[in-house]
Amino acid sequence: VSGVSFNVNSGDSAHADRAAVCNISTGSFDVTATCAENYEGNATAAACTTAGPYTLSGCEPIVCVSPANTAGYETPTETELSTAAGFDVTTTCAAHYAGTAVATACTVNGAAYTLSGCEPIVCTSPADLTGYNPPTETELDTSAAGGFDVTATCAANYEGTATATACVADGPYALSGCVPIVCISPADFR
């Protein structure tokens, strides 16, 4: 019987190898049933009313549902949601998140499985600001609703269009676009 484990208390140690056979003609039926791993419910064992097997019932497989919030994860591939049939859900971290995505099965029927392992990518300030004024760092979390938001400008004696580029993993963002102003002598100077 799937989903139920049982223990027969026959009181007959000489026939312990035949413990799954119960003789109810003695007036006693003593079978304790419990739900097997990945099943839940109220396991019961009922004596047979005619010659044949007794009945085990009351256990249902634990089946997970999708979590309501999957922020930070790509849409999960739900191959199997029943823990009894071999729970199988895979996903990866969404853009602007890093880590190793893990889907963990629920332990109660009808509960959501959990997703873990992905964290927002948060940039840090670069150590070297040569050629740039201190940037205005409005948002360093690349997963934030408004996204990465840093405004950069060229420092005195530098020119160009300053650009701040978000990091693709935790670490400093990049500054580019400013070059030193270099003076050269005029061509017609004598």
Side-chain angles (χ1 to χ4, degrees), residues 67 69-74 76 89-91 101-104 113-118:
N69 183 358
T70 59
Y73 301 88
E74 294 296 332
V89 174
T90 57
T91 189
V102 175
T104 303
Y113 60 85
T114 57
L115 297 174
S116 62
C118 297

Side-chain angles (χ1 to χ4, degrees), residues 75-187:
T75 301
T77 301
E78 300 174 339
T79 305
E80 181 59 61
L81 294 176
S82 169
T83 60
F87 178 81
D88 184 12
V89 174
T90 57
T91 189
T92 56
C93 295
H96 309 296
Y97 288 79
T100 302
V102 175
T104 303
C106 61
T107 57
V108 175
N109 190 40
Y113 60 85
T114 57
L115 297 174
S116 62
C118 297
E119 297 295 328
I121 295 172
V122 179
C123 299
T124 58
S125 302
D128 183 8
L129 295 178
T130 303
Y132 301 89
N133 293 313
T136 302
E137 299 173 340
T138 305
E139 183 60 71
L140 297 178
D141 183 344
T142 63
S143 70
F148 175 80
D149 186 7
V150 173
T151 303
T153 57
C154 295
N157 300 320
Y158 286 79
E159 65 181 352
T161 302
T163 303
T165 305
C167 57
V168 294
D170 284 350
Y173 59 85
L175 293 173
S176 61
C178 295
V179 295
I181 296 172
V182 178
C183 295
I184 56 172
S185 59

Side-chain angles (χ1 to χ4, degrees), residues 13-83:
S13 61
H15 296 98
D17 61 326
R18 290 188 255 158
V21 176
C22 297
N23 184 349
I24 62 170
S25 65
T26 62
S28 128
F29 177 77
D30 189 9
V31 176
T32 304
T34 57
C35 293
E37 184 178 358
N38 297 316
Y39 289 80
E40 70 177 10
N42 296 315
T44 59
C48 56
T49 55
T50 60
Y54 54 88
T55 305
L56 295 171
S57 63
C59 297
E60 296 295 327
I62 294 173
V63 179
C64 303
V65 297
S66 303
N69 183 358
T70 59
Y73 301 88
E74 294 296 332
T75 301
T77 301
E78 300 174 339
T79 305
E80 181 59 61
L81 294 176
S82 169
T83 60

